[in-house]
Amino acid sequence: MWILVVGPESQVGAAEHAVAVLGSLGCRVRSVDLWDSFEFDDEPRPPAAALIEALEEVDAARAALMRLRSVERFAQTPALIATSVSGLTRLQPDDGFDDVVLHPYVPAELYLRLRRAEWRASEFRGGRHLKTGELSIDLDAHEVRYRGELVALTQQEFALLAFLAQRRGRVFSRDQLLNQVWGVDYYGGSRTVDIHVRRLRMKLGDGAEDLQTVRGVGYKMRSAS
């Protein structure tokens, strides 16, 4: 995953600030100045979360949040505000931030809050609509969209994709998939699964990057990293 850090350019690279702290935890981080726009599209996926490192500049953080939400590809990104104790007293319940982190950071707490915000906002958290990155699966409507565009799948292709998506991170053998997706009465060979996975990859293109082959075992939908 990658994290977007928004903060004053003069302090964003300092050792006690988020870029350095998150980097030390193994996160991939991209920083934007607190007053800059978010006009970059060279990342294939939206960030897992955005951290607006305002400290005492709470008004500037509110403005940055509004600019973030105005960009379509970041509109659903969970956004946290990092603030000092004095800045905390100036926050309002309706500011729109998904969570608050106090600075100076406790690295483990910062990481946990970012991951919790990511989990609450996205990816297979239950219900009838599944989402990972720019791929969404509507279980009720039997529709799959990638980057907003409808992808035409057969009934069995949809069933296979939905089954793996609801059990992300778990590896299933071809025989298990035949039994649980096609049904116990299906007598086709395991090559049926390979054919359907290949068709899914062709139809979804980059949207199928989380659909992984586990060599010698079977297939899985990659869990969040």
Side-chain angles (χ1 to χ4, degrees):
M1 70 174 186
W2 69 281
I3 305 295
L4 177 63
V5 174
V6 185
E9 187 175 12
S10 60
Q11 67 186 29
V12 74
E16 70 274 16
H17 290 287
V19 171
V21 173
L22 291 171
S24 71
L25 294 172
C27 298
R28 188 165 68 87
V29 184
R30 181 164 186 166
S31 62
V32 174
D33 184 74
L34 193 59
W35 295 105
D36 279 354
S37 64
F38 300 94
E39 296 177 358
F40 57 87
D41 56 7
D42 54 333
E43 293 283 355
R45 289 188 171 195
L51 179 68
I52 301 178
E53 197 172 48
L55 305 189
E56 286 84 12
E57 297 184 65
V58 174
D59 289 339
R62 293 189 185 104
L65 179 64
M66 291 181 64
R67 293 197 307 278
L68 182 77
R69 292 285 183 250
S70 70
V71 179
E72 183 177 358
R73 69 190 306 258
F74 299 132
Q76 302 301 317
T77 299
L80 293 77
I81 181 172
T83 183
S84 63
V85 172
S86 61
L88 187 64
T89 62
R90 297 170 55 202
L91 287 174
Q92 300 297 322
D94 59 352
D95 281 337
F97 298 102
D98 294 284
D99 203 351
V100 180
V101 185
L102 281 176
H103 183 275
Y105 301 118
V106 176
E109 179 194 12
L110 174 61
Y111 183 76
L112 177 62
R113 286 184 180 275
L114 287 166
R115 291 308 302 268
R116 286 181 63 188
E118 176 199 14
W119 177 250
R120 287 195 302 266
S122 72
E123 309 205 334
F124 312 121
R125 61 183 180 181
R128 302 294 298 174
H129 189 269
L130 312 178
K131 189 173 186 300
T132 177
E134 295 177 278
L135 179 69
S136 63
I137 305 168
D138 189 326
L139 298 175
D140 291 323
H142 257 238
E143 288 183 350
V144 173
R145 293 181 181 272
Y146 178 59
R147 294 180 175 172
E149 296 293 325
L150 188 65
V151 181
L153 300 181
T154 67
Q155 180 178 347
Q156 211 58 46
E157 289 164 355
F158 179 90
L160 176 60
L161 181 66
F163 178 86
L164 291 171
Q166 290 174 292
R167 297 159 180 82
R168 59 196 296 254
R170 291 175 56 186
V171 183
F172 292 89
S173 69
R174 291 165 177 83
D175 287 341
Q176 286 176 313
L177 291 170
L178 282 172
N179 184 273
Q180 298 189 53
V181 178
W182 275 260
V184 294
D185 295 328
Y186 183 80
Y187 293 102
S190 60
R191 182 167 170 75
T192 298
V193 178
D194 297 332
I195 292 171
H196 279 73
V197 169
R198 184 163 65 247
R199 288 174 179 168
L200 280 172
R201 286 172 172 159
M202 289 176 60
K203 292 182 177 182
L204 296 172
D206 291 342
E209 63 180 351
D210 284 344
L211 179 53
Q212 296 186 319
T213 301
V214 181
R215 194 172 299 277
V217 182
Y219 297 100
K220 71 173 182 178
M221 184 71 77
R222 179 173 59 186
S223 60
S225 57

